[in-house]
Amino acid sequence: MLRGAGCVFAEDEARLLIEQARTPADLAAMVSQRTAGLPLEHVLGWAQFCGLRVAVEPGVFVPRRRTEFLVRQAVGLARRANDQTDAALVRPVVVDLCCGSGAAGAALAAALGRIELYAVDLDPAAVRCARRNLAAIGAQVYEGDLYHPLPTTLRGRVNVLIANAPYVPTEAIDLMPPEARIHEPRVALDGGGDGLDVLRRVIAAAATWLAPGGHLLIETGQRQAQQATETVTRSGLIPEVSRSEELNATVIIGTKSPARNVPSG
Ligand SMILES: C[S@@+](CC[C@H](N)C(=O)[O-])C[C@H]1O[C@@H](n2cnc3c(N)ncnc32)[C@H](O)[C@@H]1O
């Protein structure tokens, strides 16, 4: 039935649905949702991300495998910063803008241990979901536009600022698979004419929130990388492009200069 409905990994999906269903009626309902085109993760109620099971409610963006690359880059940078300081004292301050389900923040916390995590999303359904996923970490999850809801006391204190914001150019949305186009909210996908409208706003204010030596990490399409990198440079951050061919993932990193040591005496 699943194969007939076009599910590419029908056997794997069937196994997951059988495991998840509590009764035969439950299973029948889930199969009918799936064959009607609902993303598997919305039917199951969770997605696999960086080895975690992350709750994903219908109407909330399903975290993608490719975003695991952004998380890996962020973990590497946070660990490097830790190695350069007294690790026992460090509890990195992490901000996840456009957090969706909160998957990236949850994965960072799982990899790094103790972090001080703040997450923001515009969409109330995403915020509800992120609060579920991040409750155990003690993260603060805010509803609102990018930096707007963050406490101003965080300015200049953020060690790692991640944003997997919407970056699909408006005209390309019609070309996306129906699972995304129909079942994920437009606000999660639409990045405006060239796809970079939201990211330009993220980049523009990043330097004021980052701590000296702190890092901004954003995901973009490969073809958007050059333009995004130029925007990062103009914002005063030091840019770097990271690419994973395996995951077809592009991450732009912007680093704030470390504070200069003031010579004593
Ligand atoms: C591509 S999804 C990514 C979600 C999550 N970061 C992930 O990787 O699974 C983008 C998210 O950005 C949110 N969003 C869009 N515009 C926003 C804005 N101006 N401020 C905060 N969140 C926004 C959407 O609601 C959506 O949850």
Side-chain angles (χ1 to χ4, degrees):
M1 212 167 167
L2 291 168
R3 185 167 302 291
C7 300
V8 182
F9 302 107
E11 282 78 19
D12 293 339
E13 293 202 9
R15 184 179 44 76
L16 288 167
L17 292 171
I18 290 165
E19 273 169 25
Q20 185 80 12
R22 281 160 302 192
T23 62
D26 213 13
L27 180 60
M30 289 167 98
V31 170
S32 112
Q33 285 179 324
R34 182 65 187 125
T35 51
L38 205 67
L40 175 68
E41 293 82 355
H42 286 162
V43 178
L44 293 171
W46 54 267
Q48 191 85 20
F49 186 78
C50 290
L52 303 176
R53 268 192 187 193
V54 178
V56 186
E57 294 167 19
V60 175
F61 183 86
V62 176
R64 306 294 202 260
R65 269 280 333 270
R66 85 161 52 90
T67 305
E68 296 187 359
F69 183 62
L70 181 148
V71 171
R72 261 191 259 149
Q73 300 297 304
V75 168
L77 290 167
R79 287 204 176 123
R80 216 177 306 156
N82 245 10
D83 292 345
Q84 287 161 6
T85 17
D86 181 349
L89 296 176
V90 174
R91 188 177 175 224
V93 176
V94 177
V95 168
D96 182 3
L97 294 181
C98 302
C99 66
S101 63
L108 270 171
L112 291 171
R114 280 162 48 88
I115 62 172
E116 192 178 322
L117 177 63
Y118 302 83
V120 181
D121 203 283
L122 200 54
D123 180 358
V127 170
R128 241 189 349 263
C129 201
R131 286 194 175 132
R132 272 177 73 192
N133 285 315
L134 300 175
I137 301 162
Q140 301 294 316
V141 185
Y142 302 99
E143 182 181 325
D145 181 28
L146 299 184
Y147 301 93
H148 203 253
L150 291 174
T152 54
T153 48
L154 276 184
R155 280 181 191 267
R157 284 191 55 224
V158 179
N159 303 110
V160 176
L161 172 49
I162 60 173
N164 180 25
Y167 60 83
V168 182
T170 306
E171 284 194 345
I173 290 178
D174 283 347
L175 308 174
M176 294 184 82
E179 288 182 353
R181 191 163 34 83
I182 298 170
H183 296 285
E184 291 182 319
R186 185 105 183 169
V187 70
L189 307 173
D190 192 347
D194 65 357
L196 293 174
D197 282 2
V198 182
L199 283 171
R200 266 188 287 273
R201 293 170 52 222
V202 169
I203 296 166
T208 63
W209 292 87
L210 287 175
H215 308 281
L216 165 71
L217 297 99
I218 57 174
E219 187 178 293
T220 70
Q222 192 172 13
R223 272 188 268 164
Q224 296 163 322
Q226 189 181 338
Q227 209 180 333
T229 306
E230 286 165 12
T231 311
V232 166
T233 308
R234 278 197 298 277
S235 77
L237 300 176
I238 303 155
E240 189 188 327
V241 182
S242 263
R243 170 87 190 147
S244 162
E245 293 303 333
E246 184 204 345
L247 293 177
N248 186 23
T250 303
V251 169
I252 315 293
I253 301 166
T255 300
K256 186 166 169 173
S257 298
R260 289 219 191 101
N261 283 335
V262 180
S264 56

